[in-house]
Amino acid sequence: MEPPEDVRARPGGGSGGVGALSLPSRIAVALAVAAVAVMVAVHLLAVFLHVAPENTITQQHGDLVAEYIYPEFEQNWKLFAPNPVQQNIHVWARADVRKGDGSTETTGWVDLTAMDIADIRHNPAPSHTKQNELRRAWSFYTSTHGDQNRPIGTRGEMSRAYVQRIVETRFGPHLNGGAVERVQVRASTTPVAAPPWSNEKINTATSYQVLPWWPVDTKEDGS
């Protein structure tokens, strides 16, 4: 018994799917798939060159690879590090807000790290952003800045822009009834006390690092 006419296989790809599309649509789909494949290949190649030992390609194009990788796609092996982090670091931020009447208000210090910890605690599946974004950004900043917050090379300026972008995203363009004009960041560092069975003496006093005010670029949000 033959199937009804409306469910019989049709020439040229069946009753649905890509085969049922017009020729221009099929070409568009093929180009889109090819573009995604190329992007994935480029990304995997860049990550491979970043984590691979130094070679001829990285010697010639290392700066290009680093520009693509940092800061969002940085790779490291700290998950298996023999010396885990032994400090509690909290990153704080505040903002200068311009009110509608022209007056300026400085907000109090906001503990951004504490907010991330609150979102992580008791959450069986916390987001990667809450766990690592701010922590890794601050680590990136401190490793690329010297005395008096002077940037070391182009990565120093990149790390500053990355931290500032995170703070601006957390606060948003408008805060406390006004427009955010500039932001400031500080960090508190408290060494973790040695375990009872250790003879190591550790000063657990908290130290602070306060960064300069950074003006906010209002061109992006159209204000």
Side-chain angles (χ1 to χ4, degrees):
M1 179 178 180
E2 295 185 356
E5 180 64 28
D6 57 347
V7 297
R8 292 178 184 175
R10 298 188 181 96
S15 58
V18 177
L21 299 175
S22 63
L23 179 59
S25 298
R26 279 182 282 176
I27 294 175
V29 170
L31 291 175
V33 172
V36 171
V38 170
M39 292 171 60
V40 171
V42 170
H43 174 75
L44 294 177
L45 177 61
V47 172
F48 171 77
L49 292 175
H50 175 67
V51 300
E54 186 176 356
N55 52 66
T56 303
I57 298 178
T58 54
Q59 289 176 353
Q60 295 179 351
H61 306 288
D63 291 341
L64 182 62
V65 173
E67 184 177 348
Y68 173 79
I69 291 293
Y70 293 106
E72 281 84 1
F73 304 120
E74 181 182 3
Q75 308 290 312
N76 62 72
W77 296 98
K78 290 188 177 180
L79 175 65
F80 308 102
N83 297 315
V85 176
Q86 298 178 348
Q87 298 173 325
N88 286 322
I89 299 176
H90 281 240
V91 178
W92 306 64
R94 63 178 179 176
D96 263 355
V97 178
R98 176 71 63 179
K99 300 288 188 173
D101 59 4
S103 62
T104 302
E105 173 191 334
T106 300
T107 69
W109 288 105
V110 179
D111 190 342
L112 302 180
T113 300
M115 296 172 65
D116 285 350
I117 293 175
D119 287 335
I120 293 171
R121 185 167 289 137
H122 306 306
N123 186 342
S127 71
H128 177 79
T129 298
K130 295 297 183 183
Q131 295 180 80
N132 298 311
E133 180 185 58
L134 186 60
R135 178 181 61 84
R136 293 294 299 127
W138 182 252
S139 176
F140 184 27
Y141 180 90
T142 56
S143 66
T144 55
H145 281 75
D147 296 336
Q148 299 180 349
N149 296 313
R150 293 177 179 173
I152 303 173
T154 56
R155 291 186 63 201
E157 178 56 30
M158 183 189 303
S159 67
R160 183 209 61 78
Y162 186 35
V163 172
Q164 180 176 353
R165 184 171 66 194
I166 292 174
V167 173
E168 291 181 8
T169 301
R170 300 286 181 95
F171 282 166
H174 301 284
L175 186 66
N176 293 356
V180 177
E181 289 195 327
R182 59 178 188 164
V183 296
Q184 188 178 28
V185 176
R186 75 172 184 179
S188 63
T189 302
T190 307
V192 177
W197 46 261
S198 174
N199 295 324
E200 186 178 5
K201 303 297 182 182
I202 297 178
N203 182 2
T204 58
T206 300
S207 61
Y208 294 91
Q209 181 178 356
V210 182
L211 306 187
W213 283 97
W214 296 330
V216 172
D217 185 2
T218 59
K219 295 180 181 179
E220 293 185 0
D221 58 29
S223 57

